Amino acid sequence: MKLVRVGQPGAERPGVVDRDGRVRDLSAVIGNIGPDELAPAALARLAAIDPATLPLVEGARHGVPWTGIGKIIAIGLNYADHAAEAGMPLPAEPIVFLKANSSLNGPNDAVMLPFGSEKSDWEVELGVVIGTTARNVSKAQALEHVAGYCVVNDVSEREFQIERGGTWDKGKGCDTFCPVGPWLVTRDEVPEPQNLAMWLDVNGQRMQKGSTATMVFDVATVVSYVSRFMTLLPGDLIATGTPPGVGMGFKPPRYLRAGDTMRLGIAGLGEQTQQVVPYGER
C-alpha cells in the first residue's frame, strides 16, 4: 500500500495510490495519516479498502506522506564507498545525528539554500518509518516495528556540517533540507529493503547510483541500534545513509546553486524533483 498526503501546505488530506498509480482520497475514511494510522491494525484496515471505491484526486501537490513525526534520526557514512569519497574512516558503529523537524519538506517542493551557504549538497537515502514503539529491540525483531519506507533527500550544507565546529546537526537541519515522499510504502510491499536501487540526478546528470545492498549497517541493525539509545515512537523517521556521488566527493567539489534541479528516486518507493532556490524564496 502506498499512502500519501496531498494538498497545499498545512491543508494536506490523506490518500492512497491505486494499482494504476492514481491518488484516491481517504478523507471519508480517516482524518489524516499520523502515528495512530501507522499501527499494524490500522494499516490492515486501510489495506482492506478497495481504492477503486474512493474518489480520484488529480493534480494535487504531494506533502510529506504522514504527519506527527516526533523526530528525524539519520545515519552517517553508512555506505563504505561514500565514506571513502568523504575521506573518512568506516565507522565501527552507526554514526547517529538528528535533523530538525523544521527541515521537513514535500517531495517536490523547492529546496532553499540557507543564508550564507556555499556548500549545499545532495544525498538520496532510504527512509524507515516507525509504526510501533521500539525500545532496546533485538535485530531479529527490529523490522516488526517498521510501518514502511520512503525516499528522503538528506540535503546537507557541508561547511555548516564539517567546518563550523560542533556536531553535524547544524548542516543537516536547515529549512527545506528534508524532502520526504512521495509515498509511504508499507512494509509488506518492500520485502527486501536491502536490495533497492537508488539514484540522484542534478540538472539531468546522474550523480548518485547505488543500492541499499551496500549498506554497512542494514535496516534491522540500524533500528535495533538506535533503539538502545532513544525510544523510537510511531511516526519517527530514520534516514539510513547515502551511496557515493555526493557533491563534496567530486574533485573539485560540486555544490548546489540556485536554479539547479535535483531528481531522485528509489526502486518501488517513487521519485522526487526539487528546484533549488536562493535564501528567502521558499
Side-chain angles (χ1 to χ4, degrees):
M1 186 166 51
K2 297 178 176 69
L3 298 174
V4 298
R5 292 171 66 247
V6 294
Q8 292 305 305
E12 294 93 344
R13 59 192 188 275
V16 63
V17 179
D18 67 20
R19 60 175 55 90
D20 296 317
R22 299 173 299 182
V23 175
R24 299 283 184 161
D25 194 340
L26 277 172
S27 298
V29 181
I30 53 174
N32 214 329
I33 300 170
D36 290 344
E37 289 72 33
L38 300 180
L43 290 176
R45 286 193 294 271
L46 291 178
I49 298 169
D50 181 359
T53 66
L54 303 171
L56 278 170
V57 180
E58 297 181 309
R61 164 192 172 268
H62 282 251
V64 177
W66 74 103
T67 189
I69 298 173
K71 53 186 173 290
I72 307 166
I73 305 107
I75 308 300
L77 304 179
N78 198 26
Y79 289 71
D81 32 15
H82 171 54
E85 73 175 351
M88 298 181 183
L90 203 63
E93 297 186 33
I95 295 172
V96 179
F97 61 92
L98 299 175
K99 288 178 76 78
N101 281 30
S102 52
S103 70
L104 285 165
N105 206 24
N108 302 312
D109 292 345
V111 165
M112 182 180 69
L113 297 174
F115 180 76
S117 170
E118 294 292 338
K119 298 181 179 180
S120 288
D121 205 347
W122 54 83
E123 294 190 12
V124 58
E125 306 205 1
L126 173 66
V128 178
V129 186
I130 300 300
T132 60
T133 299
R135 183 183 297 113
N136 196 31
V137 300
S138 69
K139 179 179 177 180
Q141 295 177 317
L143 295 187
E144 297 174 14
H145 297 270
V146 172
Y149 301 92
C150 62
V151 181
V152 175
N153 189 354
D154 176 21
V155 188
S156 308
E157 215 297 343
R158 302 303 187 187
E159 180 191 3
F160 299 177
Q161 176 190 358
I162 299 169
E163 302 174 35
R164 300 290 293 272
T167 65
W168 289 6
D169 299 44
K170 59 191 173 186
K172 296 285 192 170
C174 305
D175 290 352
T176 75
F177 268 28
C178 191
V180 179
W183 314 316
L184 188 168
V185 182
T186 51
R187 191 178 76 218
D188 59 295
E189 291 199 11
V190 190
E192 296 292 341
Q194 301 310 143
N195 189 30
L196 302 176
M198 53 205 307
W199 55 271
L200 182 145
D201 296 345
V202 178
N203 299 332
Q205 181 179 356
R206 183 61 42 96
M207 298 298 189
Q208 291 186 273
K209 182 179 180 181
S211 169
T212 58
T214 65
M215 281 184 180
V216 179
F217 305 104
D218 64 17
V219 171
T221 298
V222 166
V223 172
S224 173
Y225 182 86
V226 174
S227 78
R228 301 180 201 172
F229 302 99
M230 63 190 82
T231 299
L232 296 171
L233 299 172
D236 285 352
L237 171 63
I238 305 175
T240 56
T242 198
V246 300
M248 73 173 179
F250 285 86
K251 300 188 186 320
R254 302 172 64 173
Y255 294 117
L256 294 168
R257 296 289 179 259
D260 287 345
T261 299
M262 292 180 283
R263 185 168 169 259
L264 58 146
I266 299 178
L269 303 184
E271 299 181 5
Q272 305 180 352
T273 302
Q274 297 113 24
Q275 187 82 10
V276 180
V277 300
Y279 178 73
E281 292 191 13
R282 182 177 177 181

